[in-house]
Amino acid sequence: MSEQKSALAESHDTLVAEEEAVALTSELIRIDTTNTGDPATVVGERAAAEYVAEKLAEVGYETTYVESGGKGRGNVIARLAGADPSRGALLVHGHLDVVPADPAEWSVHPFSGAVQDDYVWGRGAVDMKDMLGMTLATARRFKRDGIVPPRDLIFAFLADEEAGGEYGAQWLVENRADLFEGATEAISEVGGFSITVKDGVRAYMIETAEKGIAWLRLRARGRAGHGSMVHEDNAVTKLTQAVARLGTHKFPVVLTDSVKEFFAAVTELTGMEFDEADLDGSVAKLGAVARMVGATLRDTANPTMLNAGYKANVIPSVAEAVVDCRVLPGRREAFERELDEILGPDIEREYVTNLPSVETTFDGALVDAMTASIIAEDPGAVTLPYMLSGGTDAKSFQSLGIRCFGFAPLRLPADLDFSALFHGVDERVPVDALKFGTRVLDRFLRSS
């Protein structure tokens, strides 16, 4: 009878955590934490950090609140002691900030946190307040129910990831590395989500690598003058020609170990071949996830901002552009050589943000624990490694010698274009996926 009672209590506690994850995700979305990239106009990170700290303190955590080098750039860190203090700690980290959203474009208000049509809606629903909600619900359950994990867990809720982490993970690594003392491995966003492959089998993509971020400011100089006259030294012309060359350039295909492993795993699952003579065409057959995977075949450089002039009839002496470059592991020097050839000698360049690539192997006890936790909740599922085309705070934490993975588990509908929701209009996460992810995260943190 006591065992039956215990099982019933466990089931009840699991359901409580699942429902709490949904509610916490919705409440976090309602806190507008828009990060414009301009510290003067960033909002809400302090409020979100204080909300998280309060939720953790409610169940007995001691939290550390740090404003990292800028007013209102709030970060919260808490540690839960594990059974074996001699083992390296596991860092579970996520960012509180989100990218801007225009309410006029959305079906619901982007900061409503609406729970409707079996989804939680709003900016941050998948990037990444869903993971924050699941993490917070699981952390609260462990403390509330006296669950002792195998090793120390460090929970970190961070600012400024959407602008490269200068006031978040980067600042903490440089100034408060003591908060992560003993951490050897980490999990965070954009991994552990499912794609449906052959015969309805779900494959869960675990991030083992990500491209480096190189946001570049390009600058051309020329002679200022009157717009009505013949002018052969025009900064705007120089810049736009260089930007057009770079924006239309196709960098060479370079298959990293992570991408090769991904292709091999998909081939084994589906029989699909990835012909190196037409990799773009082969990847396109992957469906919605092709957008993300295709960007990991080569370096990319996408112009995003232009700035020049101040009056229609005045030729300016300076013109500037910003280009979002993403660089494969091991490709930085070759990328820069190619960049200089494309831009030519008249274009100055400087880094706005310059963050390294990340890459680890798909093996070891932590990967085994991820896989076992997924399969326990989704029998017949498989896990496979992949490279993220974007970037996360893993770029900062790897400098502390921490092995980083993307593992924010979600079981997704086969027809959901998940990758399009990141920074997209009508961003949303399925309620069932949040509940599933909370169960998986609970299992994983108990066994890792």
Side-chain angles (χ1 to χ4, degrees):
M1 180 68 74
S2 62
E3 287 184 8
Q4 183 182 11
K5 204 169 181 181
S6 176
L8 286 171
E10 178 75 15
S11 176
H12 174 266
D13 291 344
T14 299
L15 288 171
V16 169
E18 290 175 26
E19 294 297 336
E20 192 169 63
V22 175
L24 291 167
T25 300
S26 174
E27 289 169 17
L28 282 162
I29 289 170
R30 290 204 293 271
I31 304 172
D32 181 352
T33 53
T34 297
N35 187 348
T36 60
D38 176 3
T41 57
V42 170
V43 298
E45 287 173 336
R46 175 191 285 173
E50 289 174 344
Y51 169 89
V52 167
E54 180 183 344
K55 291 296 181 183
L56 291 171
E58 239 175 34
V59 293
Y61 280 96
E62 292 185 10
T63 63
T64 300
Y65 175 85
V66 181
E67 288 202 357
S68 47
K71 186 178 180 182
R73 312 310 295 269
N75 302 267
V76 174
I77 296 89
R79 187 183 287 252
L80 180 63
D84 185 356
S86 69
R87 288 187 60 193
L90 175 66
L91 171 62
V92 185
H93 64 95
H95 62 88
L96 297 161
D97 60 322
V98 298
V99 297
D102 180 358
E105 298 178 330
W106 285 58
S107 301
V108 301
H109 195 283
F111 298 106
S112 67
V115 183
Q116 62 185 51
D117 303 324
D118 299 320
Y119 282 83
V120 181
W121 297 68
R123 177 59 84 220
V126 300
D127 187 13
M128 60 171 293
K129 290 181 177 179
D130 57 344
M131 179 59 169
L132 297 186
M134 294 189 295
T135 299
L136 194 50
T138 304
R140 281 168 57 87
R141 182 195 175 171
F142 278 27
K143 194 72 167 178
R144 189 171 52 231
D145 297 345
I147 296 168
V148 179
R151 55 171 165 168
D152 284 10
L153 300 176
I154 303 171
F155 299 106
F157 301 82
L158 308 169
D160 199 38
E161 189 273 349
E162 293 292 2
E166 181 181 354
Y167 296 103
Q170 279 191 64
W171 190 95
L172 290 167
V173 164
E174 292 169 4
N175 296 276
R176 292 299 309 273
D178 59 294
L179 295 170
F180 312 104
E181 184 177 353
T184 56
E185 295 170 307
I187 63 165
S188 189
E189 60 179 324
V190 206
F193 59 91
S194 70
I195 59 172
T196 301
V197 292
K198 185 179 179 182
D199 299 325
V201 173
R202 279 182 290 271
Y204 289 81
M205 297 172 61
I206 295 173
E207 187 219 301
T208 57
E210 57 189 54
K211 296 170 81 173
I213 296 176
W215 294 344
L216 284 172
R217 177 172 285 110
L218 306 181
R219 184 178 295 110
R221 300 183 187 276
R223 190 176 71 255
H226 199 290
S228 68
M229 299 182 183
V230 175
H231 205 93
E232 296 178 353
D233 186 23
N234 189 314
V236 176
T237 303
K238 291 178 190 176
L239 179 77
T240 52
Q241 288 175 342
V243 168
R245 289 195 301 270
L246 181 57
T248 56
H249 179 72
K250 205 163 191 178
F251 288 87
V253 169
V254 177
L255 295 183
T256 62
D257 290 343
S258 297
V259 172
K260 288 177 184 176
E261 284 187 79
F262 173 82
F263 286 159
V266 173
T267 298
E268 186 176 347
L269 274 174
T270 67
M272 184 187 300
E273 296 290 340
F274 293 89
D275 182 1
E276 291 197 23
D278 183 23
L279 272 179
D280 292 318
S282 299
V283 168
K285 296 175 185 176
L286 290 170
V289 78
R291 185 185 301 108
M292 189 179 288
V293 175
T296 64
L297 301 180
R298 51 173 59 86
D299 303 328
T300 57
N302 286 309
T304 54
M305 299 172 71
L306 292 169
N307 183 32
Y310 49 87
K311 198 170 186 295
N313 62 348
V314 178
I315 297 170
S317 60
V318 179
E320 294 183 340
V322 174
V323 183
D324 183 351
C325 304
R326 306 293 172 130
V327 186
L328 292 169
R331 269 279 301 174
R332 181 53 66 98
E333 290 184 7
F335 172 80
E336 290 187 344
R337 286 196 300 270
E338 201 164 340
L339 189 67
D340 288 338
E341 290 174 7
I342 296 163
L343 295 175
D346 292 335
I347 305 298
E348 303 168 15
R349 63 174 173 85
E350 62 180 353
Y351 287 112
V352 177
T353 297
N354 185 13
L355 298 173
S357 58
V358 176
E359 189 163 30
T360 188
T361 52
F362 189 61
D363 56 17
L366 196 73
V367 171
D368 292 343
M370 292 178 195
T371 301
S373 300
I374 289 282
I375 291 173
E377 294 295 335
D378 190 1
V382 297
T383 58
L384 64 164
Y386 90 106
M387 177 187 291
L388 176 66
S389 58
T392 74
D393 282 331
K395 296 182 182 306
S396 297
F397 290 120
Q398 74 167 356
S399 68
L400 296 178
I402 298 173
R403 188 182 183 210
C404 297
F405 294 89
F407 187 66
L410 296 170
R411 183 173 60 201
L412 300 170
D415 59 351
L416 180 66
D417 188 353
F418 186 61
S419 63
L421 297 177
F422 286 85
H423 297 188
V425 172
D426 284 345
E427 185 179 350
R428 62 199 183 277
V429 63
V431 168
D432 283 347
L434 282 172
K435 293 179 178 180
F436 170 86
T438 304
R439 296 194 301 272
V440 171
L441 198 59
D442 184 292
R443 288 181 181 275
F444 170 69
L445 294 179
R446 292 187 197 222
S447 61
S448 60

